[in-house]
Amino acid sequence: MKPPDTIIHLVTRLAQWGTGLSFAVLIVAVLVQVTGRLTGIAFVWTEELTRYALLFMVAFGAGLSFRSGDLVNVDVICESLPGRAPWNLRLIAALATSGLALYLLPHAWRYTSIGSMQTSPALGLRMDFVHVTVFLLLVFLLVFAALRVLGMVTGKENGLPVKPEEDL
């Protein structure tokens, strides 16, 4: 495996594991919540944990969705254009996505740091641990969009979404 392929593989695996772990926490929190309602022993923290797990799931999954084309992929018109126009439009879209994510990163970090002065009501977590989801979302979008641009410019890929093997 070449170094760029290794980096792509590691970042993809990190995002997949983060999404999976967040989803597992979400499932457990909802199961505890439903079980508590059925038994009459309601836990106040489950609703808050469910929200936070959902935020982390989206933060880790946004980059994967960009990579697979499931985030936003309007290709009906784009792919029907002649010649190199579809490739150019995919490159512009990836550049715009990475540029916007890069621009928003410092602002997301500032938002995250503000959370250090707050705590969540039920779990007592410092809110910067929750607000970091906005920063993570932008980091994963930036990385996957930049990797698409790099792959397109070097000729290693055509900019089409990378579908998982089971979808092929």
Side-chain angles (χ1 to χ4, degrees):
M1 215 181 252
K2 297 175 186 169
D5 294 335
T6 304
I7 292 169
I8 293 169
H9 180 74
L10 288 174
V11 171
T12 302
R13 285 289 178 227
L14 175 66
Q16 288 171 337
W17 275 93
T19 304
L21 184 61
S22 302
F23 193 60
V25 169
L26 178 73
I27 290 171
V28 169
V30 169
L31 282 173
V32 169
Q33 195 173 40
V34 169
T35 305
R37 288 182 183 171
L38 292 174
T39 60
I41 306 168
F43 298 101
V44 71
W45 54 267
T46 56
E47 190 265 336
E48 195 171 278
L49 183 61
T50 301
R51 267 195 245 151
Y52 299 158
L54 185 61
L55 287 172
F56 274 96
M57 190 171 64
V58 170
F60 283 110
L64 293 172
S65 296
F66 179 84
R67 184 165 170 75
S68 68
D70 294 329
L71 184 61
V72 174
N73 193 25
V74 182
D75 58 356
V76 174
I77 297 170
C78 177
E79 296 304 319
S80 65
L81 294 173
R84 208 159 150 85
W87 187 91
N88 289 332
L89 289 173
R90 288 191 299 267
L91 180 64
I92 290 168
L95 281 168
T97 301
S98 57
L100 182 63
L102 185 62
Y103 172 75
L104 291 174
L105 271 177
H107 305 290
W109 186 253
R110 185 169 176 215
Y111 171 71
T112 300
S113 64
I114 289 170
S116 66
M117 298 179 278
Q118 304 165 336
T119 56
S120 66
L123 291 172
L125 287 174
R126 281 186 15 204
M127 288 305 289
D128 55 342
F129 294 129
V130 177
H131 292 174
V132 77
T133 57
V134 176
F135 187 77
L136 280 174
L137 183 142
L138 291 169
V139 165
F140 279 110
L141 271 179
L142 173 63
V143 167
F144 282 112
L147 287 172
R148 181 174 288 174
V149 169
L150 184 64
M152 290 178 75
V153 170
T154 60
K156 301 251 185 212
E157 65 176 81
N158 58 8
L160 290 171
V162 179
K163 293 289 184 185
E165 294 169 11
E166 63 269 6
D167 289 349
L168 296 176

